[in-house]
Amino acid sequence: MVLFFENRELVTPGDLLAKGDYLAGENVFRINDEIYATRIGLVEYSNKKVSVVALKSFYVPSVNDIVIGKVVEVGTRGWMVEINSPFLALLRASDAFTKPFNPKNDELTSILDVGDVIIAKIIAYDRTRDPLLTIREHGLGKVKSGQIVVITPTKIPRVIGRKGSMISMIKNETGCNITIGQNGVILVRGKNPVMEGIVVRAIKMIEKEAHTTGLTDRVTDMIRREKMELKRNGKI
Amino acid sequence: MRFSKFITNLERKQMLNLLSTGKRIDGRDLYSYREIKIETNVIERAEGSARVYLGDTDVLAGVKIDVGEPFPDVPNEGVLTVNAELVPFASPAFEPGPPDENAIELARVVDRGIRESKAIDLAKLCIIPGKKVFVVYIDIYVLNHGGNLIDASALAALAALLNTKMYNYELVGEELKILAGYQPLPVKNYPIAVTFGKVSDYIILDPSLDEEQIMDARLTITIDKDKRICAIQKGIGGYFTLQQVRDIAKIASEKSEELRKLVLSECK
Amino acid sequence: MEKSEKPLITEDGLRTDGRGPRDLRPVKIEVGVVKNADGSAYIEHGKNKILAAVYGPSEVHPRHFALQDRALLRCKYHMAPFSVQDRKSPAPSRREIELSKVIREALEPSLFLEYYPRTSIDIFIEVLQADGGTRCASITAASIALADAGIPMRDMVVACAAGKVDGHIVLDLNDIEDKNGEADMPLAMMPNKGLITLLQMDGLVTQEEFKQMLELAMEGCNLIYQIQKKALKSTFIKTVEEV
């Protein structure tokens, strides 16, 4: 049994990572007893499992994920929603109407229109059909205010931080409410668009510096600096 | 693009709110350009070339010079041809295939600025009157669409012309014999296109891709080195008031000075 | 067109650009250069200057083109009008259509297309300046653009030509050698297992010369692979070093 890299070393597609009795984790593939990388990322050897934490990836829908998307098409039976993935998702008209949906009388655009942002949950997806969404749960539905920011989905754990440390720091410092979609789309809602702007910049900073140490402290500093600046200019 | 640049209603609302305070989503005020970077002589195979970055917009212009026939009505002048390609990867909205109406409009607006200001001294490009002249091809290549393709393209075209080299030649009978050395293309005017957008009742300079999506109308004024207007193009299905057009013409004249200074200093 | 009256290889065994027979031209690669694309790369290989960009996997347009069992891979190779000595018409030529096809087929074996049925992956290649060997440099760049888009791959793909010029077997032909030499053989491969994914030749060579050219082209591919890998990693290396 041989490992060909150090733990957390940067690898590229096609790199031979391990040979012998290992399990294939994420972003790798196996040929006989050899395990190779399929994406650029950091190799992780843990116990018998070999995987790659991808630095470049995209969102693949998964049932029960909460996602944030935008309506791009209003059809006769529902809405097509972009969810930052290879597939458009479908929200059926019957899901959004409380009474039985009647295509003759019920105007879909009265509920959701092109350009609207929604928080939704994936209820079905199996690669042969478009992912299906629902907004029939508490906290889901049309978003009426706030700003959205899109990041590489693999960086989401960094935005959340260890035991939620990063995200609760941002919430405490800014008073903004932050909703994270598993698809890499993040919604920031605060009392003040200027404060939302600070959060958006903080999230972008986390995405860019996701693999550096001491990030929480630097993000805290950045938020406090921007807040001071705003106070001085009388914006908050 | 899996999460397209297609603007959401949240962003639209936010942009309008900001405009009412005189600010824009990228922090600019209403009459500011984004950062402009000009690189010249980027394609050695071309007789002239320039790449212009205007914010996220990235445009490459290449100049090729060929020998051809003059138009019958101007037998003593060289020929200018401007072509624009919206390279398919520059935007998910661009389709592969022959230039569409947007690409053709872009090429023609750039062409008009250069032609009407007489930027190229076409009379000096005549070889044998009525028979042989130089043909100047300007090919505009949009490599990334970040909004306001017209100003970036016009700037790239002018910068490319300013570093275009023509080979020396002598006539042997009716044939051209190429000699050693080069001379610059005769450029005698410097037209600058300045484009504005109208969003609700606000007029903004140099609209970005986000702003273009909520824009009702567009107006381009091209200004020559003597502050004369040499081309105008109104675009998109909205309208302007008389006062707005007057204001735009005045601001265009001031802004064109800034851009001309920049392009001339880069093309020394 | 540049015509060479001088020999293509001097008595000292040097080529028109001063290289030895087994030398590569300088190769420079940048990753993530087209903002709107999902992945992109820029390559300078000798005087070749090429941009490759990838969109996808994403919804197929038009929808009826979608395949039920795998992603649809499409490739457009195109040359800018100013990329060559005499201005090229922007309309796609028969040569560009063939190259689009063979480039697509050179990259296809490296991708797990079966992971993303009913989607499309679009590769766009724009040659901004051409200097012989554009298809090879295009493949090297496009493979990086695919990795930059986060598309899972079995291996990278890297390409280089070998050929015969003035009776010598040489690596990585430039424009003059390509036009005036006896043979040019572009080759693409997946370097980790040495699997050949593109092989073309025009010219006239013996079986023995062909064998030498094959070995030399693969040697060239391995050299370019090191540059390709380094470029891909350099986008991330700074942040990773700080961990």
Side-chain angles (χ1 to χ4, degrees), chain A residues 121-138:
Chain A
K121 191 165 111 177
I122 295 178
I123 47 172
Y125 170 69
D126 63 2
R127 281 180 205 250
T128 64
R129 283 173 309 154
D130 286 330
L132 200 61
L133 301 175
T134 182
I135 53 172
R136 272 196 170 178
E137 269 176 42
H138 179 71

Side-chain angles (χ1 to χ4, degrees), chain A residues 5 8-16 28-29 31 34 36-40 42 55-58 60 73 80 85-88 125 127-131 155 208-213 218, chain C residues 32 38-39 56-61 63 68 112 114-119 147-156 192-193 225 228-229 232-243:
Chain A
F5 289 89
R8 307 276 298 162
E9 202 175 329
L10 185 58
V11 296
T12 53
D15 279 346
L16 175 60
V28 301
F29 74 106
I31 304 178
E34 295 176 333
Y36 296 86
T38 64
R39 282 188 164 118
I40 182 159
L42 305 176
L55 292 174
K56 277 290 193 127
S57 188
F58 46 84
V60 176
E73 210 180 298
M80 295 311 287
S85 98
F87 310 93
L88 286 182
Y125 170 69
R127 281 180 205 250
T128 64
R129 283 173 309 154
D130 286 330
K155 309 273 172 78
K208 211 170 131 205
E209 304 178 18
H211 296 276
T212 61
T213 47
R218 286 205 305 286
Chain C
D38 292 317
S58 47
E59 200 78 10
V60 184
H61 296 289
R63 272 195 193 176
Q68 289 308 312
F112 291 97
E114 62 276 20
Y115 284 9
Y116 306 104
R118 303 181 306 111
T119 66
D148 183 44
I151 294 168
M153 298 160 82
R154 286 184 178 83
D155 199 349
M156 301 299 292
N192 281 298
K193 287 258 185 258
Y225 177 50
Q228 191 191 44
K229 242 169 122 94
L232 196 50
K233 286 184 175 180
S234 70
T235 330
F236 303 100
I237 210 98
K238 221 181 99 214
T239 50
V240 171
E241 273 172 354
E242 291 171 35
V243 172

Side-chain angles (χ1 to χ4, degrees), chain A residues 3-4 14 20 32 38 48 61 65 81 89 93 98 124 127 153 156 172 193:
Chain A
L3 300 177
F4 295 92
N32 301 322
T38 64
K48 307 233 79 186
D65 275 1
V81 185
T98 41
R127 281 180 205 250
I156 284 177
N172 289 338

Side-chain angles (χ1 to χ4, degrees), chain C residues 47-223:
Chain C
K47 285 184 182 145
N48 289 307
K49 295 183 175 185
I50 299 168
L51 270 169
V54 169
Y55 280 90
S58 47
E59 200 78 10
V60 184
H61 296 289
R63 272 195 193 176
H64 67 268
F65 279 21
L67 305 173
Q68 289 308 312
D69 57 343
R70 65 199 150 95
L72 172 69
L73 182 66
R74 294 183 285 207
C75 176
K76 280 261 181 319
Y77 163 98
H78 185 249
M79 292 177 92
F82 43 76
S83 62
V84 280
Q85 206 58 41
D86 297 318
R87 179 179 183 270
K88 184 201 156 291
S89 153
S93 63
R94 290 167 63 85
R95 176 183 171 276
E96 286 167 299
I97 292 166
E98 186 213 331
L99 288 200
S100 298
K101 178 175 187 289
V102 296
I103 291 170
R104 184 188 77 226
E105 290 163 346
L107 295 164
E108 188 162 348
S110 74
L111 303 172
F112 291 97
L113 295 178
E114 62 276 20
Y115 284 9
Y116 306 104
R118 303 181 306 111
T119 66
S120 63
I121 297 172
D122 287 286
I123 304 166
F124 298 106
I125 295 162
E126 288 292 338
V127 177
L128 304 179
Q129 180 161 280
D131 180 35
T134 58
R135 84 195 65 189
C136 288
S138 297
I139 289 168
T140 304
S143 183
I144 302 179
L146 287 161
D148 183 44
I151 294 168
M153 298 160 82
R154 286 184 178 83
D155 199 349
M156 301 299 292
V157 182
V158 57
C160 188
K164 187 179 168 191
V165 172
D166 275 3
H168 297 76
I169 302 300
V170 298
L171 182 66
D172 187 21
L173 285 73
N174 65 25
D175 196 38
I176 304 167
E177 293 171 334
D178 181 6
K179 289 198 173 100
N180 302 292
E182 292 100 277
D184 178 31
M185 186 184 78
L187 178 146
M189 68 176 200
M190 299 197 281
N192 281 298
K193 287 258 185 258
L195 304 174
I196 295 168
T197 66
L198 170 132
L199 188 60
Q200 294 181 291
M201 196 198 82
D202 49 14
L204 211 53
V205 296
T206 66
Q207 286 284 346
E208 180 50 36
E209 286 166 339
F210 171 61
K211 253 173 70 187
Q212 289 178 29
M213 278 159 55
L214 265 178
E215 277 161 28
L216 188 55
M218 288 178 85
E219 219 178 282
C221 282
N222 280 319
L223 293 173

Side-chain angles (χ1 to χ4, degrees), chain B residues 1-2 5 41-48 51 55-56 58 60-64 66 81 83 85 87-92 94-97 137-141 143-146 209, chain C residues 2 33-38 42 47 49 51-58 76 78-88 90 124-132 149-151 175:
Chain B
M1 177 122 323
R2 303 166 195 119
K5 293 272 149 65
N41 203 14
V42 288
I43 302 295
E44 301 91 330
R45 281 252 191 279
E47 278 80 11
R51 191 153 173 185
D56 281 347
D58 179 358
L60 175 60
V63 177
K64 295 294 296 179
D66 216 342
T81 303
N83 171 59
E85 297 278 320
V87 171
F89 62 59
S91 160
F94 296 169
E95 298 283 341
Y137 288 100
I138 304 177
D139 281 289
I140 291 162
Y141 236 53
L143 298 175
N144 197 68
H145 184 3
L209 187 60
Chain C
E2 296 171 47
V33 287
V34 179
K35 286 221 168 77
N36 287 348
D38 292 317
Y42 171 69
K47 285 184 182 145
K49 295 183 175 185
L51 270 169
V54 169
Y55 280 90
S58 47
K76 280 261 181 319
H78 185 249
M79 292 177 92
F82 43 76
S83 62
V84 280
Q85 206 58 41
D86 297 318
R87 179 179 183 270
K88 184 201 156 291
F124 298 106
I125 295 162
E126 288 292 338
V127 177
L128 304 179
Q129 180 161 280
D131 180 35
I151 294 168
D175 196 38

Side-chain angles (χ1 to χ4, degrees), chain A residues 88-107:
Chain A
L88 286 182
L90 172 67
L91 175 67
R92 288 203 181 114
S94 54
D95 188 273
F97 284 86
T98 41
K99 55 184 184 358
F101 171 65
N102 177 350
K104 275 195 191 130
N105 304 328
D106 293 327
E107 194 66 59

